[in-house]
Amino acid sequence: MEDARKNPITCDLPITNEANIGSYLGVPIFYSSGVFFGTLCAVDSRTSNFHQDNIKTLSRLSKFFTYVLELEKQVNLDSLTGLYNRHYLYSLFEEVLTPDNSSKGTIMFLDLDGFKGVNDKYGHEMGDIVLKEVASRINKCLTEKDIAVRLGGDEFILLFPEMADVIEMEQKANEILHAMLNWTIFKHKLTLSASIGITIYPDDSKQIRTLLKYADTAMYKAKERGKNNFQFF
């Protein structure tokens, strides 16, 4: 863009005058999958100040950002479901807890009921489809501040950083349990549900490994009580 102050799209934007933007150059950044991430921008107070060499430089930087984004995904994301992985959960939790322990939250340990039967009857490809769908259903139950993690297999961790009210925990757990019912894939009606164990931090513990152990214990208690329910540690 040779002159942002004269372009009909940008001329009335407050930032154009506030930042004294004359010429503007923007190159899109994409994930390796082709999904748009953002735009790498360069601005100058002078007009018509960007040339073909500048475009090539920004394009190379854009490709570098794509590479970095892909590395970050490999480190922090589960390759099958796209949810966060155990490594990310452990590193994130250190940031969630405040030094004075004033931040309270909830961890839910979700394990599918009947998943082994799906793998045994229909094969692991069907199992992978189920796990991807579980991740999708979980995400629909979460807000932007909540975190979903796949530990491995059919085990998932849900971290609710600001949930400290028991009634709210029960409502959320019931919402998730309901979302894990009613399965028909490729005309196959599957018998699946979920069992959830709930633990509260820092009341139960301030250590993520201990909290996961407690939530796991509560989850197995839910399975012992008939499955398709939740239990507190």
Side-chain angles (χ1 to χ4, degrees):
M1 187 181 298
E2 294 185 353
D3 192 346
R5 290 179 287 254
K6 293 181 179 180
N7 188 287
I9 298 176
T10 57
C11 63
D12 293 327
L13 295 177
I15 193 172
T16 300
N17 291 320
E18 291 172 3
N20 191 28
I21 299 175
S23 50
Y24 166 89
L25 175 62
V27 176
I29 301 172
F30 295 95
Y31 289 101
S32 58
S33 62
V35 176
F36 178 70
F37 171 78
T39 304
L40 182 62
C41 304
V43 297
D44 197 298
S45 59
R46 296 167 293 182
T47 60
S48 305
N49 198 45
F50 294 115
H51 307 288
Q52 194 63 36
D53 288 344
N54 303 124
I55 296 175
K56 290 180 180 179
T57 299
L58 245 63
S59 295
R60 286 196 294 268
L61 286 172
S62 173
K63 291 178 181 179
F64 175 74
F65 272 106
T66 297
Y67 173 72
V68 172
L69 289 170
E70 190 61 28
L71 286 178
E72 184 181 32
K73 284 176 61 179
Q74 292 177 10
V75 171
N76 293 326
L77 298 183
D78 173 61
S79 59
L80 177 65
T81 63
L83 299 181
Y84 289 110
N85 58 24
R86 184 191 299 263
H87 172 270
Y88 181 81
L89 174 64
Y90 286 175
S91 59
L92 172 73
F93 195 73
E94 295 177 359
E95 301 175 9
V96 170
L97 278 181
T98 55
D100 60 358
N101 297 326
S102 61
S103 59
K104 291 192 175 184
T106 301
I107 289 178
M108 297 188 186
F109 195 125
L110 182 151
D111 184 88
L112 287 181
D113 306 320
F115 181 70
K116 184 178 183 300
V118 171
N119 271 338
D120 292 344
K121 186 174 182 179
Y122 300 106
H124 290 282
E125 288 186 0
M126 176 68 83
D128 287 349
I129 293 172
V130 168
L131 293 174
K132 290 178 182 178
E133 177 63 19
V134 168
S136 175
R137 295 186 184 192
I138 286 174
N139 277 328
K140 292 177 181 177
C141 297
L142 306 184
T143 66
E144 291 184 357
K145 61 189 176 184
D146 305 327
I147 301 294
V149 175
R150 182 186 175 214
L151 283 187
D154 60 338
E155 296 179 336
F156 298 83
I157 296 298
L158 311 180
L159 174 63
F160 301 94
E162 297 178 11
M163 186 181 293
D165 181 74
V166 173
I167 294 178
E168 187 179 0
M169 296 176 200
E170 293 175 343
Q171 291 174 340
K172 181 57 67 175
N174 279 319
E175 178 187 355
I176 296 168
L177 289 174
H178 181 74
M180 294 299 118
L181 300 175
N182 302 319
W183 289 85
T184 301
I185 297 179
F186 300 145
K187 298 183 180 179
H188 299 295
K189 188 166 182 63
L190 309 179
T191 303
L192 291 168
S193 60
S195 296
I196 296 176
I198 303 175
T199 187
I200 305 166
Y201 66 84
D203 297 10
D204 293 333
S205 177
K206 294 178 285 185
Q207 304 298 321
I208 183 61
R209 288 175 173 79
T210 303
L211 289 165
L212 293 183
K213 179 181 177 181
Y214 289 167
D216 182 57
T217 299
M219 180 272 293
Y220 275 103
K221 188 192 304 181
K223 286 186 178 292
E224 292 171 357
R225 297 190 179 184
K227 304 178 181 180
N228 189 31
N229 72 94
F230 65 86
Q231 297 294 323
F232 287 88
F233 174 72

